[in-house]
Every structure is written in C-alpha cells, then in structure tokens.
Amino acid sequence: MSEDILVARNLVKTYTQRSGRFGFGSTQVRALNDVSIHLRAGTTLAVVGESGSGKSTLARCLLQLQPVDSGEVLFEGRDLAKLEPTELRDVRKNLQMVFQDPFASLNPRMRVGEIVGEGLLIHSLGSIAEQQKKVVAMLKRVGLTEADMQKYPHEFSGGQRQRIGIARALVLNPQVVVCDEPVSALDVSIQAQILLLLKELQQEMALSYIFISHDLRVVRHIADDMVVMYQGQVVEQGSVVDVYTAPKHSYTQNLLAAIPGKKVVNG
Amino acid sequence: MTVDLQTKQLANTAPLLQLEHVSISPKKTPSRLLVNDVSFAIEVGKTTCVVGESGSGKSLTALAIMGLLSKQLQLNSGKVLFNDADKGIVDLTTLDAESLRKLRGDKIAMIFQEPMTSLNPVLTVGYQIGESLTTHLGFKGERLKNKIASLLEMVGIPPGRANSYPDELSGGQRQRVMIAMSIACEPSLLIADEPTTALDVTVQAQILKLLSDLKTRMNMGMLFITHDFGVVADIADNVVVMFRGQIVESGTREQVLSNPQHPYTKALLACVPDAEGEKMLKPIDYAWLAGEQTGAVAAEVIHE
C-alpha cells in the first residue's frame, strides 16, 4: 500500500442559488456534503457520478480553485487552505488539471507554445531557452511536433487539443493531476489514444491522477480506486475491482447496471 | 389511458426505407464527397444503427433522408425510397417541399442529439407536442389535450407537466418530451441522431428502454445514429459502420459485433473499453488502415 499523497477530509461546499419566480428567493445547494477521499501516490482515483453529483466541484475544491466552507485538503501533509497565497502558488506547480472541453479550455489567441509554456514562465523555471526546450520535449512526448508551437488552438482537432491540455498540465512536472472528464468529448478511437497516453505518462513521470468521469467503462480501464458520488455525498469507495464485482450501495448497482452493451461487446 | 395505436400494414414487402447510392458533397466542390455511395435498408419494425466517428457522414445521411441538408450541401446522386402506407413507394429526394413537409412529423419523425437546444424555450412542452398533431391530423380542443396527456404518460412524464416550459425540466425529461413529440403522429419511421449522448448513463438506459418499447408497440422502423458500441449492442437489429463517408461494413448486430470483417470495424471495436476491464485498448492506426483500405481484402468487403 503506497502512501497517500492527497487527502481531503470532510469537505463541505454550499452554493446559494436564486430561486422563486423572479429570482428573489434563495436556496442552499449542498454540492459537497462531508466528502472525504484519499489518493495514493502513483495511482489513479476515479470519481464517478451523474451530472450534478458534485464531482467537478470536488475537483475545483481539491485544487483550491474554489474555497470550501469547511474541511481540509492535505497535500503531502500540508493543509492547502491555510497556506499563504505565495506558498499556495508554489505548491500549485505540483497540482495540475486537465479540463473536459478541449475547445473551451485553450485560449484561442495564444499560440500552442505560449499556452504550454505559460506555467513555466509564471513559476520562472529555468531560462527562456530551457523553457522552450521543455515545451518542445513535452509536445513531442504527447504526440505533437515542434512546428505545432507556432499554431493556434483552432488549427487542431479535438484529440490534439486534449494533447495540448495534457502537455500544459505536465510540463511543470506535477505530482498530482486532476483530470475532469478528459475523454468524454472525444470519439471512442481518440479516447483510446488519450487513455493510453495518460497511462504511459503516469508510469514515466510517477503521476497520481484524480480522474473524474461518468463513463464506467473508461474508469474500469484507467483507475485503481474509485469513489461514487451521489447528490454531493460519497456513497461508496474502494478499489475498482471490488466496487465492480460487489457494489454495496444501491446507487452504484444502478449505475453499473446502466452500462450499455455489457453482454455483447467484447471485440 | 392508452394511445389508440393504429396497426400499420404495408401493402408490399419492400423495406420501410431504402437508401440507394446516396452521395452528398458541398455545392462549391462537388467532387469532394462527404457521403459516398451509401446504400442500406431499414425494415419495418426494426432498428438499424449507423455507427462511426465524428465526420464519418452519419448525421449527414440522416439529414439527407429528412431533406434537411444545409444550403451549402447538395445531394449529388442517389435515391431515398420511403415505403408510405398510403401512397406506396416514394422517392423522398424528388418530392416537392410541400409533400415532404406533410411527411415529416407525420410518417417520418426525428429526435435530435441536444435536448437542451432543440426545444423552443418560450413555448410550453404541451404546445410543442401538440403542434404536429394539429398540423397533420387536425386535433384540437379537448381531444388534443387528452392526446398530449396520454403521450406524456407514455414517455413517463406526469401529464400535468404539459404546462411546463423546457427550462423547468431536466435533461432526461426534455429528451422524453422530444420523444413524445416525435411519436405523436405515430410515424412509421423514427430517426434518432445520438439521442442519448448528452445524458447520464442511468438516464440513457431508461431512454433506450423507452425507445425499444415504443418501437415494438408501434411497429416503428428506427434509424439510430450513435458512436457508442455499447448502445448498439443494446438496441440494434442491424448495424451499418461508416468511415470517411463510406459504408465499410453492414450486417446484423451479431455479425458486426461478434464477427467483424472489415479492418476498420475491428479497429473501432478494439477501442471500446469493456465493463470488465479485461481488454487491452488499442487505438486505431489510421495509416495502416489507409494501406489496408486499398488492399484487395478490404475492397472485397466494401463491395460485397
């Protein structure tokens, strides 16, 4: 059993939503209700659940992109919420994110080289020449070329853009990468390429992934452990094999029963 | 309350819909075929799934059947033969706009991918469901109201929801409303373009079940477009695999899924993760495929 690299304890996050006929009323929506998870170093933890179950909120809260109401997020034993802004920025090098929508998450006015190199620039890691070298190496590693640095995001297909997103996250040599539905917008053929790429990179760079997904077939392939969320709460967690073979919670059982084409597809 | 289902009997034994050598290209560059010589049939009361990646031409094929191709595109050649219970076999590509409009929503209906954007936000869902009933079958007053209520019930929405606006419903409910709209006039052909892609898996399972129940009850033929082989395995009778505008393989569900012949079908199936996690994923090697495509084996399969 490897050590926990990222631990979240009793996270609570409440949104205030306007309600009533003209939006004068307000209701409290509990997006995260006492959520605790732990990510073992070098492994992949999948977070599954339906839309509105709080999985993306969890991702944002883990990376401190959104403040939590209560609870703590420990990275290597340090509570991220208690860090000074400058310290937090320093720690963020180690915590990166790959977003769901490869079309919306890349700045259309920046060249790919600038997008991927921006993190290095902000954290002033190495000289400009060294940064360039790193960017080129990273782009090549994810299957793009040096010439692609000069291009803009719109010149790429969905799968290639997701590769750019991955390069941007990994160029800083992080320890934890939160992937928020990285393959759900992609065709199944491209999805397979990206999943394999993520797996290879995990091996090479000793990465730990939090992998958010609603596709249980994908989760089965990429994750070691999993957490099932339902209406802001964790209803089940354990190793992927255990949860798939013997789901305990009725929601998990429903979710597994809903996987399309379980019997016939075995290609 | 049940809907009075008319039993549709076709005078002949021809398929419900037959596409013959359909090709589509942009008007400006007629030589660039987006859909290239596509032929397949949909039998009465059966589901044909068209599978392929984005850009394979599967949605264009569906739009061409409905006569809804965008103005920049044209049908280069081919026939779309629809077996009309009243008029016999008609070629949809040669119909004038008015006769086509009479068929659409009545005998041929379509469900679109995005339940969020394909409903009109300023009209109640009841009104939107009733629209085609009024237009095609002259329903009005109490009779229309009852019919709308029974349709909503059929798709599993409380009939009281008829006065709701689309934004008051969830994604799954909106897709159910779309389905109620499309089956209102009891079409003999239902075209569904990725109707469950935007939905959660549990909702997807419900919608697929609903569609196949309705198909059986109303003896509808269905053209179902998807990129998910899991969905194909659940609902298809026949499968058509498209790649870069062409059909590379077609056959029954068992033939295509369990014993695929074309290298592209094999490669595509190898990309689909299985629920047991036993399979090694293998991305498609397009360069290899392109070589294979020109090979004799592939050619044989394409033109069988």
Side-chain angles (χ1 to χ4, degrees):
Chain A
M1 203 68 150
S2 48
E3 230 173 286
D4 290 342
I5 187 161
L6 189 71
V7 178
R9 281 196 200 125
N10 313 101
L11 295 184
V12 177
K13 172 75 188 170
T14 313
Y15 290 112
T16 307
Q17 200 175 47
R18 283 191 174 186
S19 63
R21 192 113 268 214
F22 297 103
F24 286 123
S26 66
T27 32
Q28 302 278 309
V29 180
R30 259 209 173 173
L32 296 180
N33 192 356
D34 198 17
V35 171
S36 303
I37 61 162
H38 61 102
L39 171 64
R40 294 182 289 132
T43 68
T44 301
L45 172 70
V47 181
V48 302
E50 315 203 328
S51 22
S53 61
K55 42 191 206 306
S56 287
T57 303
L58 175 63
R60 290 165 171 278
C61 289
L62 287 176
L63 295 185
Q64 304 294 307
L65 295 173
Q66 242 170 12
V68 288
D69 297 344
S70 67
E72 52 184 14
V73 180
L74 302 173
F75 172 67
E76 294 182 318
R78 294 208 285 171
D79 186 352
L80 295 180
K82 296 214 177 79
L83 293 179
E84 295 295 317
T86 47
E87 288 177 304
L88 180 61
R89 179 182 276 196
D90 225 31
V91 172
R92 278 233 171 95
K93 273 186 299 218
N94 298 314
L95 303 166
Q96 288 295 312
M97 185 150 178
V98 176
F99 296 92
Q100 169 171 12
D101 190 339
F103 295 89
S105 58
L106 301 174
N107 188 337
R109 290 162 190 243
M110 284 169 77
R111 293 175 195 275
V112 169
E114 295 168 335
I115 292 174
V116 175
E118 197 179 23
L120 294 169
L121 199 65
I122 287 172
H123 293 291
S124 33
L125 297 171
S127 67
I128 298 292
E130 282 166 8
Q131 291 181 5
Q132 289 287 316
K133 248 194 208 157
K134 271 192 185 168
V135 170
V136 172
M138 198 65 232
L139 281 176
K140 282 192 178 147
R141 182 59 199 90
V142 299
L144 299 167
T145 62
E146 189 169 351
D148 290 334
M149 279 178 76
Q150 300 308 320
K151 293 187 188 162
Y152 288 96
H154 72 261
E155 297 174 63
F156 295 90
S157 67
Q160 286 173 320
R161 285 183 210 210
Q162 206 53 293
R163 289 172 191 273
I164 298 170
I166 292 170
R168 171 175 61 185
L170 298 190
V171 77
L172 291 168
N173 210 358
Q175 288 169 278
V176 175
V177 182
V178 177
C179 307
D180 188 0
E181 309 239 12
V183 295
S184 25
L186 305 174
D187 265 325
V188 54
S189 47
I190 312 296
Q191 172 178 304
Q193 293 173 3
I194 299 290
L195 288 176
L196 284 177
L197 176 66
L198 285 172
K199 269 190 160 172
E200 285 167 15
L201 290 168
Q202 179 168 42
Q203 295 269 310
E204 284 167 32
M205 303 173 70
L207 301 168
S208 313
Y209 290 138
I210 302 253
F211 193 94
I212 294 174
S213 179
H214 65 266
D215 190 331
L216 289 129
R217 290 170 288 179
V218 168
V219 166
R220 187 70 181 82
H221 273 269
I222 193 136
D224 303 292
D225 301 307
M226 71 189 279
V227 167
V228 181
M229 288 191 70
Y230 182 61
Q231 295 185 348
Q233 285 181 305
V234 171
V235 294
E236 185 152 0
Q237 55 184 319
S239 82
V240 168
V241 178
D242 289 349
V243 174
Y244 273 66
T245 44
K248 290 191 191 71
H249 195 275
S250 62
Y251 177 70
T252 316
Q253 290 163 2
N254 283 343
L255 215 52
L256 288 169
I259 302 178
K262 273 194 298 194
K263 285 140 235 147
V264 191
V265 179
N266 39 34
Chain B
M1 212 169 357
T2 53
V3 179
D4 45 323
L5 299 172
Q6 63 202 57
T7 34
K8 271 176 224 101
Q9 287 297 332
L10 291 175
N12 48 51
T13 54
L16 179 62
L17 186 85
Q18 175 98 44
L19 267 73
E20 285 181 2
H21 310 291
V22 170
S23 295
I24 301 169
S25 72
K27 275 183 183 152
K28 283 182 184 159
T29 51
S31 57
R32 205 180 127 231
L33 294 178
L34 304 173
V35 171
N36 188 356
D37 195 23
V38 162
S39 307
F40 63 89
I42 300 168
E43 303 291 336
V44 180
K46 298 268 193 229
T47 302
T48 297
C49 272
V50 178
V51 210
E53 295 172 75
S54 11
S56 61
K58 51 193 197 307
S59 289
L60 279 184
T61 308
L63 290 175
I65 296 170
M66 291 291 279
L68 293 174
L69 280 181
S70 101
K71 288 203 179 79
Q72 281 92 42
L73 299 176
Q74 63 178 16
L75 199 71
N76 285 26
S77 61
K79 287 181 183 164
V80 179
L81 302 172
F82 177 64
N83 200 343
D84 191 324
D86 305 323
K87 299 200 185 92
I89 295 174
V90 286
D91 184 355
L92 298 181
T93 59
T94 57
L95 283 187
D96 58 285
E98 183 56 26
S99 343
L100 198 56
R101 195 184 65 79
K102 279 191 183 142
L103 273 179
R104 284 198 295 246
D106 184 13
K107 301 244 171 61
I108 306 176
M110 186 155 180
I111 306 173
F112 297 91
Q113 173 170 4
E114 282 285 336
M116 310 294 164
T117 51
S118 38
L119 289 170
N120 188 331
V122 299
L123 298 174
T124 64
V125 296
Y127 179 86
Q128 295 186 61
I129 293 170
E131 220 172 5
S132 64
L133 287 166
T134 316
T135 318
H136 294 296
L137 304 175
F139 276 64
K140 53 186 170 201
E142 201 60 25
R143 191 159 155 252
L144 177 64
K145 238 176 149 178
N146 289 338
K147 176 82 181 174
I148 292 171
S150 69
L151 279 166
L152 282 174
E153 200 168 283
M154 217 162 144
V155 297
I157 293 180
R161 286 300 217 159
N163 297 321
S164 301
Y165 289 89
D167 70 285
E168 298 172 291
L169 304 175
S170 69
Q173 283 177 317
R174 281 182 230 192
Q175 200 55 292
R176 283 167 194 269
V177 168
M178 285 292 294
I179 293 171
M181 274 166 79
S182 62
I183 60 167
C185 297
E186 289 160 30
S188 48
L189 174 64
L190 182 65
I191 299 175
D193 189 359
E194 310 226 9
T196 59
T197 307
L199 305 174
D200 279 323
V201 271
T202 43
V203 183
Q204 164 169 294
Q206 291 164 10
I207 298 283
L208 290 179
K209 172 122 191 353
L210 173 68
L211 280 173
S212 56
D213 286 353
L214 289 172
K215 185 197 82 176
T216 319
R217 274 172 69 182
M218 302 171 57
N219 201 24
M220 269 185 320
M222 194 150 70
L223 174 66
F224 197 102
I225 296 174
T226 180
H227 63 261
D228 188 336
F229 270 107
V231 173
V232 174
D234 280 354
I235 64 154
D237 294 302
N238 296 301
V239 183
V240 171
V241 184
M242 286 187 74
F243 177 55
R244 297 188 181 161
Q246 287 185 306
I247 293 180
V248 293
E249 181 159 4
S250 62
T252 66
R253 176 180 66 183
E254 283 69 27
Q255 280 169 358
V256 175
L257 293 186
S258 316
N259 189 18
Q261 298 299 314
H262 193 273
Y264 176 70
T265 316
K266 288 181 191 169
L268 199 57
L269 278 165
C271 293
V272 183
D274 58 336
E276 288 77 35
E278 287 157 2
K279 196 164 89 183
M280 288 297 294
L281 295 187
K282 203 172 135 246
I284 296 181
D285 183 347
Y286 289 98
W288 170 80
L289 203 62
E292 197 82 0
Q293 190 96 345
T294 52
V297 186
E300 207 173 86
V301 179
I302 294 169
H303 299 297
E304 67 169 338

